[in-house]
Amino acid sequence: MKLRRIAALVKKDLKVFIREPASMFLLILFPLVLTLTFGIAFGGIDTGGASEFRIGVVNMDANSTSAEWSDSFVGNLTDLNGTAVSHYYTNETGQTDLLNGGLDALIVIPEGFGNSIDSYWDSPIDGSSWENTTIELYLDSGSMIASSAIPPMIQQVLFTTFYGEQAGSMELPIEIGSPSLVYVSDLSQWDFMAPGIFAFSALFMIMTVAMSLTVERDGGLLKRMSTTPVSASEFIGAKALTYMLVGMLQVLLVFAGSFAIGYRPNTDASGIAFAFLIVVIFTLTAVGMGLITAVISKSADVASGVAFIFIMPQMFFGTFMPLGGLTETLGTIMPTNYVTHALTTLFLRGAPVGTLSIWVDLLIVAVVGVLMLAIGALLFRRQTAKQ
Amino acid sequence: MSDNAIIVENVTKRFDSVTAVDNLSLEIKWGELFGLLGPNGAGKTTLLNVLATLLEPTEGGAQVGGFDVEHDGKNVRDIIGVCPQEPAYYGHLTGRENIEIFGTFHDVPKEDLKERTDELIKKIGMEDHADRKAKEYSGGMVRRVSTVMALIHNPKVALLDEPTVAMDPVSRRAVWDFILELKEKGMAIVLTTHYMEEAEFLCDRVGIIDEGRLIAIGSPKELMEKHNAKDLEEVFIKLTGKKLKEVV
Ligand SMILES: Nc1ncnc2c1ncn2[C@@H]1O[C@H](COP(=O)(O)OP(=O)(O)O)[C@@H](O)[C@H]1O
Ligand SMILES: [Mg+2]
């Protein structure tokens, strides 16, 4: 093994890759377009910058004798610019909507709200005679803007309810409870699909690897190369290395594309680094399968079709397609499924990088990768061996 | 090192029912430019591929630079430069890049590679086209670049399979000059051709092959004198009863 020869081969493979429109399309443009279109179509766009805050109100004081105060409060809240108010009869239904991402905040007006205000006006100076109550406030923790903007808005509405237009800043018998931040599920379909795009993109390497190999074989380049000191392991090692680099580029592009449309994987830098690692290891499988495809294909055209034997099942049972029943069982034999599983664990469930299951996934992907590459290299060498 | 760069001993190569090379023996000296002459299907390429370690002889054996082609292929590949009959090159790379990568395959030191590439590009008259992609080249350009790809590392033994076939006279002349210069450096050169005048002009010695068998060997002059012929073409006719041009 000579590093300089391997480097020259990698450089050559990358040049050929870049100068071949078909491979650029398949491995670079296609994943990017797929990420953007699927991401937009299946809800990747972040609604965090929405112009209106959706606020749910549960009025526990609606049936009291002083219900006009809570009505007035709700009215003032509704009149405020930038709010869309909806009413709930129970705390539970409101909470459910908040959790499902239907609301940015939920306000619970307590029983005795009206009495509190009456008690204030009875004796505005004497705080000891007030009947104190607390407004409960629940906020979507995922929406930074909502959680910082809504509490002051409620404060404002409360003053207006007390004093009419000229809001003061005196002490009041009602306080706004410190907001409870609620972890809200605003997951879209895209959040479930995004982890699958990585394996999906890398999968198509099988086709480009097979096509480039058949071109080199049928063009006599492999024969010619085997009259030089270049060894088969240098040649195949360089192919693997090239596609590892292409795999890294793909991960980068998929991340960049999905970030651009607002996707935020629920992980940190270490999770993102793990994504690079597992995809790079997975490319070994793709290169191995590409070698096998080349062996059974008479020409590059045939190879592009034969590659689908490997691509299709791994695509359907291991990337972003929903699994269940039989498909789930089939998925267990697809290397892509382990890539997707690990990335789903990280990005969707927010598991830390130390989670054992993702390292088990990586191990499986690595073992399959090394095995596939070895089988592919063996078959390919046998086919191109001297007669 | 012995005087002989190449030794072929009773090599037979069969493909299923076809005997492409039939019990052929010959020796080629260092510094010698040797031509394998014969019609299409004579077995020239097959013999060259045995020497290039691409094919294993069915019977017999061969040595290149003292190394056995079957058991010491790695050492053989270190000292040979092979130009295949069908030019093999990377269409997406430029002519220059094709030459340089083969130089790297053969461990030409980085500091020499660029200079040597420039020099050879000039020698084959490809200065104006060296930075175009090879897939845009004409057949003659491809052949010229392919020849240089085989020789960029100054191999001790050059194996050139029909290097000038289908070339225009100017290109052919350039390649001839180039090959003659290499000979001056002391390398052993084997080239195959079915052009009699090429063999006559270039080669120190020729081996005439027909149906896998070596039917005559010697310098063009010797062969013509021996067979009382005015050129190699006539020698071939006298030996085989066939006209070379007919079987080509
Ligand atoms: N790989 C092969 N399989 C079967 N027959 C072959 C193969 N290579 C060459 N031959 C046959 O061997 C004979 C010699 O071919 P070749 O060496 O290419 O001749 P030349 O180079 O002199 O034209 C021909 O009959 C050819 O058909
Ligand atoms: Mg031939």
Side-chain angles (χ1 to χ4, degrees):
Chain A
M1 285 263 207
K2 274 220 168 151
L3 276 180
R4 184 168 165 236
R5 282 204 285 261
I6 294 177
L9 285 165
V10 169
K11 207 168 125 189
K12 175 265 297 179
D13 276 332
L14 286 175
K15 273 184 193 162
V16 171
F17 177 82
I18 289 166
R19 294 173 192 178
E20 173 58 61
S23 55
M24 278 300 273
F25 172 79
L26 206 57
L27 296 188
I28 301 299
L29 199 62
F30 181 49
L32 195 60
V33 168
L34 192 83
T35 303
L36 293 175
T37 52
F38 275 34
I40 290 168
F42 294 99
I45 290 188
D46 188 16
T47 48
S51 53
E52 276 194 334
F53 294 116
R54 297 155 304 164
I55 300 175
V57 176
V58 185
N59 189 352
M60 311 289 273
D61 204 36
N63 299 320
S64 81
T65 48
S66 312
E68 71 270 16
W69 288 114
S70 57
D71 286 346
S72 154
F73 176 86
V74 173
N76 289 332
L77 183 66
T78 311
D79 289 346
L80 203 66
N81 274 337
T83 58
V85 176
S86 43
H87 297 270
Y88 294 88
Y89 289 106
T90 64
N91 197 337
E92 287 72 39
T93 49
Q95 293 284 353
T96 306
D97 263 14
L98 181 64
L99 277 169
N100 291 332
L103 291 176
D104 297 309
L106 181 70
I107 294 168
V108 182
I109 300 171
E111 243 184 281
F113 178 85
N115 286 339
S116 272
I117 299 182
D118 280 340
S119 75
Y120 173 81
W121 284 119
D122 283 347
S123 172
I125 320 288
D126 179 14
S128 64
S129 65
W130 297 346
E131 292 173 29
N132 293 319
T133 50
T134 303
I135 294 176
E136 287 173 57
L137 181 57
Y138 301 90
L139 293 169
D140 169 6
S141 65
S143 172
M144 298 279 284
I145 303 170
S147 53
S148 57
I150 291 176
M153 286 170 79
I154 306 300
Q155 191 76 51
Q156 173 70 27
V157 168
L158 193 57
F159 279 129
T160 314
T161 307
F162 267 86
Y163 301 108
E165 287 312 306
Q166 75 278 46
S169 59
M170 287 169 269
E171 275 198 78
L172 296 176
I174 300 172
E175 67 170 322
I176 300 166
S178 60
S180 321
L181 292 178
V182 175
Y183 176 66
V184 169
S185 157
D186 57 354
L187 293 176
S188 65
Q189 221 173 323
W190 172 248
D191 290 86
F192 293 89
M193 292 165 76
I197 296 285
F198 293 91
F200 179 90
S201 308
L203 210 42
F204 285 87
M205 286 183 196
I206 298 173
M207 191 189 283
T208 47
V209 169
M211 287 171 75
S212 80
L213 285 168
T214 42
V215 165
E216 283 179 84
R217 181 189 63 200
D218 302 342
L221 274 160
L222 289 181
K223 270 218 169 95
R224 182 162 199 171
M225 213 181 294
S226 55
T227 67
T228 74
V230 174
S231 68
S233 43
E234 284 167 344
F235 174 76
I236 288 170
K239 277 273 180 255
L241 218 59
T242 302
Y243 282 89
M244 283 177 155
L245 291 173
V246 173
M248 284 172 86
L249 185 63
Q250 284 188 327
V251 175
L252 197 71
L253 284 172
V254 172
F255 270 130
S258 46
F259 259 74
I261 54 168
Y263 172 66
R264 297 291 176 272
N266 189 12
T267 190
D268 54 14
S270 62
I272 289 175
F274 184 91
F276 277 96
L277 181 65
I278 198 165
V279 170
V280 163
I281 300 289
F282 173 72
T283 59
L284 295 181
T285 305
V287 172
M289 290 178 171
L291 282 158
I292 298 170
T293 303
V295 170
I296 52 184
S297 304
K298 282 247 172 338
S299 71
D301 288 341
V302 177
S304 68
V306 171
F308 276 102
I309 297 174
F310 293 101
I311 294 175
M312 284 304 208
Q314 292 201 80
M315 185 167 107
F316 283 115
F317 308 127
T319 61
F320 52 72
M321 313 293 174
L323 293 181
L326 176 66
T327 54
E328 187 128 10
T329 314
L330 285 169
T332 58
I333 56 166
M334 303 300 163
T336 42
N337 196 28
Y338 294 90
V339 177
T340 304
H341 177 261
L343 297 184
T344 304
T345 306
L346 287 171
F347 296 171
L348 185 70
R349 309 207 179 101
V353 131
T355 309
L356 180 66
S357 82
I358 65 169
W359 293 98
V360 173
D361 289 332
L362 181 71
L363 184 71
I364 293 170
V365 171
V367 169
V368 172
V370 170
L371 217 65
M372 277 297 157
L373 188 63
I375 294 172
L378 204 76
L379 292 176
F380 192 72
R381 275 190 71 169
R382 217 174 61 180
Q383 186 186 48
T384 51
K386 56 184 125 188
Q387 290 159 306
Chain B
M1 210 185 276
S2 83
D3 280 354
N4 290 322
I6 294 173
I7 300 171
V8 178
E9 278 175 317
N10 306 106
V11 165
T12 296
K13 178 67 190 177
R14 278 187 216 99
F15 299 104
D16 301 324
S17 59
V18 183
T19 303
V21 176
D22 193 358
N23 194 24
L24 194 149
S25 301
L26 55 79
E27 288 172 359
I28 297 167
K29 290 190 171 42
W30 291 111
E32 189 170 36
L33 207 172
F34 189 90
L36 282 172
L37 193 56
N40 276 341
K44 305 181 295 292
T45 297
T46 304
L47 179 60
L48 220 59
N49 284 345
V50 168
L51 298 176
T53 77
L54 282 172
L55 295 173
E56 283 176 355
T58 317
E59 283 159 32
Q63 288 172 28
V64 175
F67 301 113
D68 186 278
V69 291
E70 262 182 284
H71 305 111
D72 223 350
K74 206 188 151 307
N75 284 321
V76 172
R77 288 189 285 275
D78 280 339
I79 59 164
I80 58 175
V82 181
C83 181
Q85 182 172 346
E86 293 302 326
Y89 56 96
Y90 298 102
H92 283 294
L93 299 190
T94 65
R96 182 189 306 281
E97 287 167 339
N98 270 291
I99 295 167
E100 282 181 349
I101 196 171
F102 271 78
T104 310
F105 289 167
H106 283 289
D107 300 323
V108 174
K110 210 171 179 169
E111 53 275 19
D112 298 348
L113 189 57
K114 204 192 148 338
E115 197 182 329
R116 224 188 272 181
T117 304
D118 281 340
E119 185 193 321
L120 295 186
I121 284 170
K122 204 174 283 172
K123 210 154 267 176
I124 55 165
M126 288 284 291
E127 301 98 310
D128 295 341
H129 308 288
D131 296 310
R132 282 171 58 198
K133 281 187 199 164
K135 64 175 177 177
E136 298 165 6
Y137 286 172
S138 70
M141 289 161 133
V142 161
R143 286 189 173 278
R144 278 181 277 162
V145 168
S146 183
T147 308
V148 171
M149 283 160 72
L151 301 167
I152 176 75
H153 56 297
N154 288 328
K156 287 187 171 153
V157 176
L159 305 171
L160 312 175
D161 200 352
E162 312 230 13
T164 64
V165 77
M167 256 188 204
D168 63 90
V170 179
S171 301
R172 176 169 302 162
R173 192 72 221 193
V175 170
W176 284 0
D177 289 345
F178 180 43
I179 290 171
L180 287 171
E181 267 178 52
L182 295 173
K183 193 180 98 109
E184 298 304 310
K185 294 183 185 170
M187 57 173 75
I189 303 167
V190 185
L191 64 82
T192 73
T193 182
H194 58 256
Y195 297 122
M196 293 291 158
E197 63 283 9
E198 177 163 286
E200 230 170 281
F201 175 80
L202 275 182
C203 300
D204 300 320
R205 282 197 306 149
V206 296
I208 298 181
I209 303 185
D210 189 37
E211 294 175 359
R213 281 186 298 270
L214 184 71
I215 54 174
I217 187 165
S219 73
K221 205 163 146 245
E222 277 168 19
L223 289 175
M224 286 186 279
E225 275 169 12
K226 186 173 168 195
H227 296 279
N228 195 18
K230 66 175 192 307
D231 55 21
L232 285 175
E233 173 91 46
E234 212 180 316
V235 174
F236 186 80
I237 296 170
K238 288 199 165 160
L239 281 168
T240 64
K242 293 184 277 195
K243 256 189 133 153
L244 189 56
K245 292 260 162 57
E246 275 171 14
V247 282
V248 166

